[in-house]
């Protein structure tokens, strides 16, 4: 706790120091998740953007710690200009520490962007899916109900330790129509119903907390099936020669957004970059490198059929899928997470 | 350093020697203080201030007072029974209009959402719609914009916002909350979690402290009585663990203990087990890994105290007819108590703040308080909750220290 307090002070102190001097005028600092994902973003977005506009891109990494952005904005020393972030957008938007997006200034048609948010431009969506190892389970699960079917599929199953996705799936498996999920989850009875459904498999759940864990759990045979992000499973199949299968039924899409921390001195360049990276061609280039659904719907037409077959946005995969409702979670995450944590640790 | 007040008459320059001595003394004290000053400043800026700020943040929250000035003033005459009157609603509309113009509606919503889930988006949309209202009557209009303005508990919440101090965060940290009339009620059982977490943190810390003592005491004894050459070699082995980061050591336990890890595979190959034992992602793994990391912190103070105990004491006891156990228990052991107290106190307090190890090798049932502090600080941006949990943990630690001091007497503790 003391270390944490010190950390926050350190953050504030380092934010107070005039680091800005280090940045030249024509430089844009873009922050993303690091790893292979960011390397591919570099190829698909950052490099072409610099080549086209002459604006140099400095890259940084984060892991979704919204506190970093808050510290920057509140001490008025914003050195991040564009941030690729996911779920935290709801809380940051509510707290007013990221810009509200001006679509006119972007010059883009908001209708082309499916998961749009008032504070962010959708860049890509990973699908939360169920995956299993075909080498161990020849006749694997087909629907989300199979995740909860201990008779048909005995053994442990991996799930993400977060109320998000799990509560939605529990309701769908319990017979709620996929499009009514948030309506039902918005009522106390609906929440009870979801937890009751999760109760039925509680003993057999292995909880994971980072995206690298599900492929590992499957490969080690720790679980018979696991929830996972589709890109990680694709990667294990392509690069590690695993025979993992994805169940696309009831896939839940979590969107990633380009966001602009409030108070950046390079607001115009930030808009320029987001506009550039949201063009269909740039998005199609990215989809070819990482199998996530492009934010701009027009990009889908530009990818080849083989790539498309791996994307969450392939017509076949979209039949029974749902965007995670960020407005709902923005309002209810705090409370549901507390209940979920209490439930998990009892 | 006390100066001796001796008057020597007739010193050469007429200044009494006592005064001269005092001057020298004062100068020396000032010089010593100047040397310590940087450290004092450092401790104050990096330690006392943030902790003070944290304690303050746990009870201070003036979001509503600052961002909804008209409403909070208008509410001061509200009796809290029925819904407020038109005047208050007009103030509300005025505040929301201003919030919309200054883009602070999100902050208001976020603050209210802590206490009433689901209000965040309603406040934001209300502010958007209120900005289009030009004239009253506001009461009906606001309730039509969002039903939350017709809810009694929302108004109770806003009325509590009149004070820049709130007990909300502290209450929630011990599983209480405000009811619809601002009365304090217990959190619903399915949400009550923090009392469990505090007890669990305490329990794990006590368990780990006991385990390090059980393992560390005999080892320290062996180290203290062995000839220096052997004991130095062994001591190197203990100090080696300081050369490796906690993260690496914790991850090593994952490799050893997991279902198909070294230990389980060995036991299964030897047909001692038919299926892997659950050694990790539970309380057992947490306590084991934490004990491993904390062992030197308990052992070293005990060792240094043991080193200073003269072997002649036990020898004398034996020669006076005491058996080996009696001599150890009555003569040797009491002298090691200050070391045991120091080592255990150090380990216990360090354990209370543990974070990485339970997160990596523990299960969901092993999350400790610091884990929640980190989540609230970094991910949920609810710094009030993080501060409240931290403040309670700090207070509990100080309280325990106080009790411990009364029982053992920390002044008696000497590191060798």
């Amino acid at each position: 706790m003391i270390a944490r307090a010190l950390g926050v002070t350190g953050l504030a102190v380092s934010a107070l120091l005039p680091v800005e001097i280090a940045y030249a005028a024509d430089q844009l600092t873009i922050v993303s998740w690091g790893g292979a994902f960011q390397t591919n973003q570099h190829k698909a977005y950052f490099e072409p953007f610099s080549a086209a506009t002459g604006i140099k891109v400095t890259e940084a990494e984060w892991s979704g710690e919204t506190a970093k952005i808050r510290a920057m904005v509140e001490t008025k020393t914003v050195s991040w200009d564009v941030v690729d972030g996911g779920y935290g957008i709801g809380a940051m938007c509510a707290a007013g520490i990221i810009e509200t997006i001006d679509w006119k200034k972007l010059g883009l048609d908001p209708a082309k962007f499916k998961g749009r948010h008032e504070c962010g431009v959708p860049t890509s969506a990973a699908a939360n899916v169920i995956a299993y190892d075909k080498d161990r389970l020849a006749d694997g699960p087909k629907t989300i109900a199979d995740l909860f079917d201990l008779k048909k599929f005995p053994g442990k199953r991996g799930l993400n330790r977060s109320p998000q996705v799990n509560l939605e799936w529990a309701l769908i498996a319990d017979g709620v129509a996929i499009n009514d999920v948030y309506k039902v989850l918005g009522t106390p009875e609906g929440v009870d119903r979801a937890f009751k459904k999760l109760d039925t498999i509680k003993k057999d759940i292995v909880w994971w907390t980072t995206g690298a864990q599900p492929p590992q759990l499957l490969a080690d045979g720790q679980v018979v099936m696991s929830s996972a992000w589709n890109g990680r499973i694709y990667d294990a199949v392509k690069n590690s020669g695993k025979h993992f299968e994805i169940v696309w039924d009831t896939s839940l899409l979590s969107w990633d957004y380009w966001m602009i921390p409030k108070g950046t001195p390079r607001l115009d360049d930030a808009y320029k970059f987001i506009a550039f990276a949201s063009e269909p061609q740039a998005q199609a280039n990215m989809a070819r490198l990482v199998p996530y659904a492009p934010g701009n719907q027009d990009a889908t037409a530009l990818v080849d059929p083989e790539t498309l077959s791996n994307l969450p946005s392939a017509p076949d995969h979209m039949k029974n899928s749902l965007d995670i409702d960020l407005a709902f979670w923005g309002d209810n995450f705090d409370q549901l997470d507390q209940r979920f944590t209490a439930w998990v640790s009892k | 350093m006390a100066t001796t007040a001796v008057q020597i008459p007739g010193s050469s320059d007429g200044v009494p020697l006592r005064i001269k001595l005092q001057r020298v003394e004062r100068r020396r004290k000032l010089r010593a203080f100047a040397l310590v000053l940087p450290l004092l400043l450092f401790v104050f800026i990096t330690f006392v201030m943030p902790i003070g700020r944290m304690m303050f943040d746990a009870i201070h929250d003036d979001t509503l007072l600052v961002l909804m000035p008209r409403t909070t003033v208008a509410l001061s005459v509200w009796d809290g029974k029925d819904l407020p009157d038109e005047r208050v609603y007009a103030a509300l509309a005025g505040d929301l209009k201003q919030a919309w113009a200054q883009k602070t509606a999100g902050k208001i919503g976020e603050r209210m959402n802590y206490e009433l889930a689901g209000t965040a988006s309603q406040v934001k949309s209300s502010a958007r719609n209120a900005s289009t209202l030009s004239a009253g009557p506001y009461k009906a209009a606001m309730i039509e914009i969002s039903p939350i303005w017709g809810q009694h508990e929302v108004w109770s919440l806003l009325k509590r916002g009149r004070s820049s101090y709130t007990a909300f965060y502290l209450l929630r940290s011990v599983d209480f909350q405000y009811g619809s009339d601002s009365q304090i009620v217990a959190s619903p059982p399915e949400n009550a979690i923090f009392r469990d977490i505090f007890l669990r943190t305490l329990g794990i810390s006590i368990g780990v402290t006991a385990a390090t003592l059980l393992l560390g005491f005999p080892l320290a004894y062996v180290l203290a009585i062995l000839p220096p050459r052997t004991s130095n070699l062994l001591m190197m082995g203990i100090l080696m663990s300081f050369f490796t980061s906690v993260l690496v050591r914790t991850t090593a336990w994952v490799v050893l203990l997991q279902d198909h890890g070294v230990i389980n595979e060995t036991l299964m190959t030897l047909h001692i087990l038919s299926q892997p034992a659950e050694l990790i992602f539970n309380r057992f793994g947490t306590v084991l890994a934490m004990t491993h990391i904390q062992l030197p912190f308990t052992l070293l103070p005990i060792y240094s105290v043991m080193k200073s105990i003269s072997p002649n004491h036990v020898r004398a006891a034996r020669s006076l007819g005491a058996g080996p156990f009696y001599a150890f228990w009555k003569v040797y052991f009491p002298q090691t108590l200050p070391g045991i107290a120091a080592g255990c106190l150090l380990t216990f307090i360090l354990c209370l703040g543990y974070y990485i190890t339970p997160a990596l090798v523990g299960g969901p049932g092993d999350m400790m308080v610091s884990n929640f502090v980190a989540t609230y600080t970094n991910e949920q941006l609810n710094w009030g909750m993080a501060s409240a949990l931290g403040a309670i943990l700090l207070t509990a630690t100080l309280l325990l220290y106080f009790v411990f001091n009364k029982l053992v007497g920390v002044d008696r503790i000497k590191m060798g």
Side-chain angles (χ1 to χ4, degrees):
Chain A
M1 164 203 72
I2 292 163
R4 207 113 293 273
L6 282 178
V8 173
T9 325
L11 208 69
V13 170
S14 67
L16 285 171
L17 297 175
V19 276
E20 232 112 335
I21 295 165
Y23 299 104
D26 270 5
Q27 256 187 10
L28 201 62
T29 304
I30 303 179
V31 186
S32 183
W33 301 94
F37 184 67
Q38 191 163 340
T39 314
N40 288 320
Q41 282 185 322
H42 179 87
K43 286 185 214 154
Y45 302 139
F46 308 158
E47 237 173 33
F49 175 69
S50 292
T53 59
I55 300 169
K56 268 178 80 178
V57 170
T58 312
E59 288 179 52
E61 289 176 21
W62 78 323
S63 348
E65 311 92 334
T66 35
K68 284 193 179 167
I69 295 185
R70 181 180 217 162
M72 272 187 203
V73 174
E74 289 187 354
T75 55
K76 301 202 165 38
T77 47
V78 178
S79 54
W80 288 359
D81 304 312
V82 179
V83 179
D84 181 332
Y87 160 69
I89 191 170
M92 287 194 284
C93 191
I97 56 175
I98 50 174
E99 293 279 347
T100 311
I101 296 293
D102 180 354
W103 287 85
K104 276 194 213 96
K105 195 169 170 185
L106 270 180
L108 293 167
D109 177 8
K112 291 275 189 329
F113 293 81
K114 201 163 139 265
R116 68 182 171 279
H117 192 278
E118 60 173 319
C119 290
V121 179
T123 166
S124 64
N128 293 273
V129 292
I130 301 291
Y132 63 96
D133 189 348
K134 222 172 177 168
D135 291 346
R136 292 174 196 265
L137 204 63
D139 191 19
K142 304 271 182 301
T143 63
I144 200 65
D146 292 341
L147 176 73
F148 292 85
D149 195 336
L150 288 171
K151 271 201 207 95
K152 220 152 103 193
F153 301 98
K156 302 258 183 197
R157 38 269 277 148
L159 286 177
N160 189 356
R161 202 171 78 203
S162 159
Q164 222 177 44
V165 177
N166 293 327
L167 294 183
E168 284 101 322
W169 273 346
L171 285 180
I172 299 167
D174 206 36
V176 174
I178 193 162
N179 289 318
D180 293 338
V181 162
Y182 289 106
K183 218 187 298 160
V184 177
L185 204 54
T187 63
E189 301 80 46
V191 176
D192 287 343
R193 187 173 165 189
F195 275 104
K196 223 174 127 199
K197 186 71 182 176
L198 281 170
D199 268 335
T200 61
I201 55 166
K202 189 177 178 185
K203 280 198 309 297
D204 291 292
I205 299 173
V206 175
W207 297 106
W208 57 265
T209 46
T210 61
Q213 281 171 296
Q216 194 64 49
L217 289 171
L218 286 172
D220 290 350
Q222 294 255 34
V223 295
V224 288
M225 63 179 95
S226 178
S227 70
W229 295 321
N230 73 299
R232 301 283 186 162
I233 299 300
Y234 171 85
D235 192 62
V237 172
K238 198 175 162 216
N239 297 326
S240 308
K242 297 285 174 192
H243 295 122
F244 294 164
E245 268 313 301
I246 290 177
V247 181
W248 285 101
D249 181 54
T250 54
S251 62
L252 298 183
L253 266 53
S254 35
W255 283 97
D256 251 20
Y257 298 85
W258 293 121
M259 304 181 273
I260 308 173
K262 216 168 240 180
T264 163
R266 290 163 287 274
L267 186 64
D268 288 337
D269 285 351
Y271 267 103
K272 246 186 243 170
F273 170 76
I274 294 177
F276 181 90
S278 304
E279 288 297 329
Q281 191 55 56
Q283 295 242 314
N285 292 345
M286 184 65 189
R288 239 168 257 139
L289 299 168
V290 182
Y292 288 146
N296 191 330
Q297 303 297 297
D298 287 349
T300 310
L302 300 176
V303 293
D304 53 284
E306 207 209 312
T307 309
L308 188 63
S309 68
N310 292 315
L311 300 185
S313 51
D316 269 0
H317 303 158
M318 293 289 280
K319 271 182 212 148
N320 208 20
S321 85
L322 184 68
D323 283 351
I324 291 175
D325 188 337
L326 288 174
F328 174 84
W329 283 109
D331 276 357
N332 297 292
F333 185 85
D334 204 26
Q335 211 194 23
L336 289 179
D337 186 55
Q338 200 186 351
R339 174 154 178 193
F340 182 79
T341 314
W343 175 80
V344 160
S345 60
K346 259 172 203 158
Chain B
M1 267 185 251
T3 46
T4 355
V6 185
Q7 279 275 36
I8 298 174
S11 60
S12 55
D13 53 359
V15 181
L17 184 59
R18 188 173 57 88
I19 306 286
K20 270 192 180 172
L21 273 171
Q22 270 178 356
R23 276 187 198 150
V24 172
E25 190 73 6
R26 199 180 306 136
R27 220 172 295 140
R28 192 183 298 158
K29 269 188 188 158
L30 270 176
R31 206 177 304 145
F33 183 71
L35 284 173
V36 181
L37 192 68
L39 175 67
L40 272 180
L41 272 176
F42 179 76
V43 168
F44 185 76
I45 292 173
T46 62
F47 201 73
V48 178
M49 270 179 22
I51 289 181
R53 180 68 207 262
M54 176 198 77
M55 303 286 272
F56 182 65
D57 272 352
I59 49 162
H60 179 262
D61 188 337
D62 57 4
T63 316
L64 294 176
L65 189 65
V66 171
L67 297 178
M68 304 189 82
R70 298 180 192 90
T71 314
T72 40
V73 166
L75 274 174
S76 57
V77 289
W78 179 49
D79 61 358
K81 287 198 190 88
D82 300 317
L83 287 179
D85 56 19
E86 173 65 21
R87 212 168 51 80
V88 178
Y89 278 92
L92 171 74
D95 278 337
L96 286 180
K97 271 183 209 171
Q98 188 189 345
W100 183 248
Q102 295 177 348
K103 301 186 175 173
T104 51
K107 271 203 181 110
I108 300 172
E110 187 191 28
R111 172 66 186 86
M112 290 175 66
N113 203 58
Y114 288 158
E115 299 194 38
L116 294 170
T119 38
S121 58
Q122 294 296 319
V123 171
K124 213 162 179 186
S125 65
S126 301
R128 189 187 302 127
N129 289 325
S131 62
T132 62
L133 292 179
S134 50
Y138 289 104
K139 185 167 180 173
M142 287 310 297
I143 293 175
E144 185 167 341
I145 284 172
S146 166
I148 64 164
W149 305 116
Q151 284 171 13
H152 190 262
E153 48 188 348
V154 170
W155 289 105
S156 296
L157 165 61
L158 287 174
K159 184 157 177 150
R160 288 198 297 276
R162 284 173 54 228
S163 161
S164 36
Y165 296 91
T166 174
F168 165 72
Y169 299 114
L170 284 176
L171 284 175
R172 199 172 140 193
S173 302
V174 286
D175 295 334
F176 285 100
Q177 61 189 44
Y178 287 116
S180 60
D181 289 316
S182 293
Q183 79 279 29
I184 292 166
V185 294
S187 300
E190 68 265 18
N191 280 349
I193 179 171
F194 293 113
R195 254 178 281 173
D196 269 4
I197 302 286
F198 277 110
L199 285 178
R200 171 189 303 166
T201 306
L202 216 62
I204 292 178
S205 303
I206 292 172
V208 171
T209 310
T212 55
L213 180 62
L214 277 177
L215 294 170
F217 189 86
L219 183 56
Y221 182 70
V222 170
L223 283 171
I225 58 166
L226 280 177
R229 187 183 296 182
T230 336
S231 82
N232 282 347
L233 208 67
L234 286 175
M235 187 52 90
M236 281 293 288
I238 289 162
L239 293 178
M240 273 296 269
S241 63
F242 285 119
F243 297 149
T244 326
S245 96
V246 174
L247 196 60
V248 172
R249 278 184 279 160
T250 305
T251 319
W253 280 111
V254 179
V255 177
L256 285 173
L257 296 179
Q258 61 188 345
D259 276 9
H260 298 279
V262 179
I263 292 175
N264 268 322
E265 289 289 324
T266 313
L267 289 178
M268 287 200 302
T269 322
L270 296 173
H271 295 287
I272 296 171
L273 290 177
S274 56
Q275 58 183 37
E278 289 187 17
L279 301 173
I280 200 169
F281 307 129
N282 51 28
R283 191 59 55 85
F284 175 78
T286 312
V287 172
L288 185 66
M290 280 173 71
T291 302
H292 168 227
I293 291 162
Q294 283 304 127
L295 193 57
F297 293 100
T298 310
L299 184 144
L300 291 173
I302 300 180
Y303 167 77
S304 73
V305 167
M306 282 176 169
K307 273 304 254 192
S308 67
I309 300 172
S310 165
N312 290 336
H313 296 174
V314 176
R315 240 176 266 153
R318 293 299 306 272
S319 76
L320 289 170
F325 179 75
Y326 191 82
F328 170 81
W329 187 245
K330 283 288 174 185
V331 176
Y332 191 83
F333 182 75
Q335 299 193 65
T336 62
L337 276 177
I340 293 176
C344 287
L345 189 65
L346 192 61
T347 291
F348 180 74
I349 290 178
L350 283 173
C351 282
L352 286 177
Y354 247 84
Y355 166 50
I356 291 179
T357 309
L360 283 178
V361 296
D366 303 301
M367 282 202 277
M368 291 165 68
V369 178
S370 335
N371 228 313
F372 285 83
V373 174
T375 315
Y376 279 120
T377 313
N378 291 332
E379 286 165 34
Q380 298 191 18
L381 290 184
N382 189 344
W383 291 4
M385 265 316 279
S387 297
L389 288 173
I392 290 178
L393 188 61
L394 180 64
T395 315
T397 311
L398 291 177
L399 215 65
L400 282 167
Y401 180 81
F402 179 75
V403 171
F404 187 82
N405 192 14
K406 283 275 166 225
L407 290 177
V408 184
V410 179
D411 327 330
R412 270 180 46 206
I413 296 175
K414 282 177 294 189
M415 300 278 191

